[in-house]
């Protein structure tokens, strides 16, 4: 099949590459000329595990193409995917200008029946708006389909190649047939392709992300209670997670959710609800709790240093909003940095993949270390903001030699309290009792 993917970000690039992987010919279109040039030259603009191998193979074998020209990119395609940004607008609702802008242009370009598929996360009713935008100029028949994407950054290729489910919202039999054929290779193990109407499909994506945000936030509040009541959140997590109705996943407390999806999608669903006179109270509370959670460690750090961080040197491990990605959008680490800088602390950070993006954003407001141990040199304490695997079993001897004080504030519970205690650390984490080490040097 000939496919076009418009928007070559985290979703578009994975989508395009994975569709090429099953033999389709894919052209990806992006307005970012620098990005497209890089891609044509075989360079990936993002870090996503496993993507490079597939990307290079399909590029070499001529199934994957890139262009900045929309007309050239969609020529001959029977399906056009829109993987465009839908950032929060001024009032928090999704900004549809990218999606509708491209839809309008498509109307002028399409010269034969085409299925236009929206993969971006969009409010209920967007399929109708896309239809109308294309119809303004269209001379041919077309169908608009909602096909929300559920991939997770960090495991995006696996998620795309073997999705838990594929959700397709359409009322067109022709589009249904085409989508079924396209997705068949990805659901051979029997995972469902769920067909539904466009509105339900659009809402499914927001409902899924919002539910996960609720689950994370619920555990973060349980963690806060654990600290106050003398309980251990790890035990509570295991205790409830073994109940099938609750499940083991997404029960890890931490310094809040971030990324380009959960924060904006929860907010957008709250705004969509308001538009139909419904106050989505749980989600409003989730947003409030999560905002506090991102800087939850800062008062703890302050308290340890007798309420003043002026002149303190703080090592920060982790900048990405989660491990295995270079994505820093809405990363809790950025909020911690802001709060610590405002208190007069200096920061030296290390992240395996996300330093480039943060350097671009913050310039020389903080320092960056070449590796995780260099970040500790002379630091008054270590703060952990992202649970990269490489932080889990560090060389503790090296850590001890570099740190000025054996003090760790762990926002992702990567270490065991007992181990830190045995090594004489002062160690505070989320939802577990603090390990009170000796006061600093
Ligand atoms: P992104 O910002 O990484 O990528 C968007 C791309 O679109 C950019 O490369 C940008 O240059 C390009 N673009 C903007 N305007 C364009 C235009 N007029 N023509 C062509 N290209 C244009 O975004 P993303 O993270 O890939 O997300 C895309 C959509 O998918 C969003 O709606 C998002 O909510 C949703 N989504 C994201 C994820 C995720 O994990 N990132 C997962 C599921 C769904």
């Amino acid at each position: 099949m000939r496919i076009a993917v418009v928007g070559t970000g985290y979703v578009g690039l994975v989508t395009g590459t994975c569709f090429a992987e099953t033999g389709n010919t894919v052209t990806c279109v992006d307005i970012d000329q620098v990005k497209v040039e890089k891609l044509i030259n075989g360079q990936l603009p993002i870090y996503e595990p496993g993507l490079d191998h597939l990307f290079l193979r399909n590029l070499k074998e001529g199934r994957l193409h890139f262009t900045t020209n929309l007309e050239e990119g969609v020529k001959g395609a029977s399906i056009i995917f829109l993987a465009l940004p839908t950032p929060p607008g001024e009032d928090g609702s999704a900004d549809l200008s990218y999606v509708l802008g491209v839809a309008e242009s498509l109307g002028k370009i399409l010269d034969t029946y085409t299925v236009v598929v929206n993969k971006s996360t969009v409010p209920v009713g967007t399929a109708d708006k896309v239809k109308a935008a294309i119809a303004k100029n269209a001379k041919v028949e077309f169908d608009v389909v909602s096909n929300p994407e559920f991939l997770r950054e960090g495991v995006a290729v696996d998620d795309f190649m073997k999705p838990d489910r594929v959700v397709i919202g359409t009322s067109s039999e022709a589009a249904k047939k085409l989508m079924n054929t396209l997705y068949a290779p990805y659901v051979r193990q029997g995972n469902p392709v769920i067909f539904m109407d466009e509105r339900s499909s659009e809402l499914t994506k927001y409902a899924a992300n919002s539910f996960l945000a609720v689950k994370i936030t619920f555990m973060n509040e349980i963690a806060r209670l654990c600290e106050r009541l003398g309980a251990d959140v790890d035990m509570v997590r295991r205790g409830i997670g073994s109940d099938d109705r609750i499940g083991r996943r997404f029960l890890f407390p931490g310094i809040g959710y971030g990324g380009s999806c959960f924060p904006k999608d929860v907010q957008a669903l709250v705004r969509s609800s308001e538009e139909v006179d419904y106050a989505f109270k749980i989600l409003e509370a989730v947003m409030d709790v999560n905002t506090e959670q991102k800087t939850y460690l800062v008062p703890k750090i302050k308290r340890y240093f007798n309420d003043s961080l002026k002149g303190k040197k703080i090592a920060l491990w982790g900048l990405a909003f989660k491990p295995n990605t270079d994505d820093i959008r809405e990363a809790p680490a950025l909020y911690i940095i802001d709060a610590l800088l405002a208190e007069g602390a200096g920061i030296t950070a290390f992240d395996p993949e996300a330093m480039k993006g943060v350097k671009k954003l913050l310039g020389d407001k903080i320092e960056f270390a070449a590796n995780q141990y260099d970040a500790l040199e002379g630091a008054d304490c270590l703060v952990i903001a992202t649970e990269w695997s490489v932080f889990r079993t560090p060389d503790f001897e090296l850590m001890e030699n570099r740190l000025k004080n054996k003090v760790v504030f762990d926002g992702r519970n990567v270490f065991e309290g007992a181990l830190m205690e045995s090594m004489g650390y002062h160690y505070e984490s989320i939802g577990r009792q603090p390990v009170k080490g000796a006061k600093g040097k």
Side-chain angles (χ1 to χ4, degrees):
M1 235 183 262
R2 271 190 181 274
I3 293 168
V5 179
V6 188
T8 310
Y10 287 88
V11 170
L13 195 51
V14 171
T15 300
T17 304
C18 291
F19 278 143
E21 181 65 12
T22 54
N24 300 293
T25 302
V26 181
T27 304
C28 296
V29 184
D30 204 288
I31 43 164
D32 184 336
Q33 195 152 357
V34 177
K35 197 181 256 189
V36 168
E37 265 164 31
K38 265 189 169 175
L39 287 162
I40 290 171
N41 291 321
Q43 286 172 280
L44 276 181
I46 55 166
Y47 171 73
E48 184 57 50
L51 183 61
D52 47 354
H53 177 62
L54 261 59
F55 164 73
L56 286 174
R57 178 166 59 211
N58 286 287
L59 192 69
K60 202 172 115 214
E61 291 175 8
R63 286 189 297 269
L64 195 52
H65 307 269
F66 296 93
T67 176
T68 52
N69 185 319
L70 184 67
E71 185 163 6
E72 183 190 306
V74 303
K75 206 172 175 54
S78 41
I79 310 184
I80 301 170
F81 282 87
L82 308 183
L84 292 156
T86 49
E90 263 172 34
D91 65 347
S93 55
D95 174 0
L96 292 179
S97 59
Y98 298 87
V99 171
L100 296 180
V102 170
E104 254 194 78
S105 308
L106 285 179
K108 295 179 200 148
I109 296 171
L110 299 184
D111 56 7
T112 177
Y113 170 77
T114 312
V115 175
V116 178
V117 183
N118 187 27
K119 239 188 195 318
S120 299
T121 303
V122 292
V124 173
T126 302
D128 293 335
K129 290 183 182 165
V130 170
K131 234 178 257 179
I134 299 174
K136 255 191 212 169
N137 308 302
K139 296 171 286 292
V140 293
E141 296 276 302
F142 66 92
D143 277 312
V144 173
V145 171
S146 158
N147 170 216
E149 182 50 59
F150 296 96
L151 63 76
R152 294 161 298 168
E153 286 175 21
V155 278
V157 172
D158 275 356
D159 279 351
F160 198 96
M161 296 305 290
K162 288 188 192 140
D164 287 343
R165 79 314 208 172
V166 177
V167 170
I168 296 173
T170 180
S171 42
S172 151
E173 280 306 313
K176 196 171 168 180
K177 220 168 135 189
L178 217 53
M179 295 297 280
N180 229 346
T181 308
L182 178 64
Y183 273 110
Y186 303 88
V187 290
R188 293 182 59 250
Q189 287 175 350
N191 288 355
V193 178
I194 309 170
F195 286 97
M196 56 181 82
D197 63 279
E198 294 87 338
R199 285 178 171 254
S200 304
S201 165
E202 288 166 341
L203 188 54
T204 297
K205 173 64 191 176
Y206 280 116
N209 274 2
S210 298
F211 185 80
L212 294 171
V214 169
K215 205 170 174 188
I216 293 171
T217 306
F218 177 83
M219 277 316 281
N220 286 338
E221 289 215 87
I222 290 289
R224 293 183 191 187
L225 261 187
C226 284
E227 290 176 19
R228 285 164 175 78
L229 296 174
D232 182 334
V233 76
D234 282 341
M235 297 301 125
V236 178
R237 174 176 60 76
R238 285 193 214 169
I240 64 172
S242 42
D243 183 329
D244 273 353
R245 293 170 303 175
I246 295 173
R248 292 191 171 84
R249 296 167 75 184
F250 262 73
L251 291 182
F252 291 84
I255 44 173
Y257 61 77
S260 69
C261 292
F262 287 4
K264 89 168 164 62
D265 293 350
V266 170
Q267 197 182 29
L269 188 52
V270 169
R271 295 291 167 262
S272 293
S273 308
E274 283 167 2
E275 280 168 25
V276 288
D277 288 329
Y278 184 71
F280 208 137
K281 292 186 195 130
I282 293 183
L283 293 187
E284 283 168 9
V286 162
M287 290 197 295
D288 286 346
V289 173
N290 196 61
T291 300
E292 293 165 5
Q293 197 70 15
K294 286 189 265 194
T295 51
Y296 185 65
L297 285 177
V298 175
K300 294 188 188 216
I301 304 170
K302 255 182 96 174
R303 215 170 301 133
Y304 178 82
F305 289 109
N306 300 322
D307 273 340
S308 171
L309 296 179
K310 221 173 176 61
K312 294 291 176 221
K313 191 171 179 310
I314 295 178
L316 178 63
W317 281 4
L319 295 166
F321 85 92
K322 67 174 185 178
N324 298 321
T325 181
D326 58 352
D327 198 343
I328 54 163
R329 292 179 280 187
E330 290 298 314
L334 299 179
Y335 290 84
I336 295 179
I337 290 172
D338 271 355
L340 292 176
L341 291 179
E343 294 289 338
I347 297 169
T348 306
F350 172 75
D351 186 286
E353 295 293 338
M355 292 201 287
K356 207 167 130 199
V358 177
K359 244 182 222 170
K360 226 164 136 185
L361 196 73
L362 297 182
D364 56 7
K365 280 192 188 159
I366 67 169
E367 287 181 22
F368 297 91
N371 61 61
Q372 68 197 74
Y373 302 104
D374 283 1
L376 305 175
E377 196 65 58
D380 291 287
C381 70
L382 164 66
V383 175
I384 302 175
T386 316
E387 65 277 34
W388 284 93
S389 296
V390 71
F391 300 154
R392 287 193 187 277
T393 359
D395 182 332
F396 281 107
E397 218 179 294
L398 211 52
M399 264 177 82
E400 195 175 328
N401 291 340
R402 300 286 184 94
L403 277 167
K404 189 164 136 207
N405 304 319
K406 284 165 79 172
V407 180
V408 176
F409 294 91
D410 182 353
R412 300 295 182 187
N413 290 0
V414 302
F415 300 142
E416 287 301 326
L419 177 70
M420 300 306 275
E421 188 165 24
S422 71
M423 292 186 294
Y425 272 87
H426 178 92
Y427 177 68
E428 297 193 41
S429 52
I430 309 286
R432 307 186 294 183
Q433 298 311 301
V435 170
K436 305 264 187 194
K439 270 278 181 194
K441 291 175 205 167

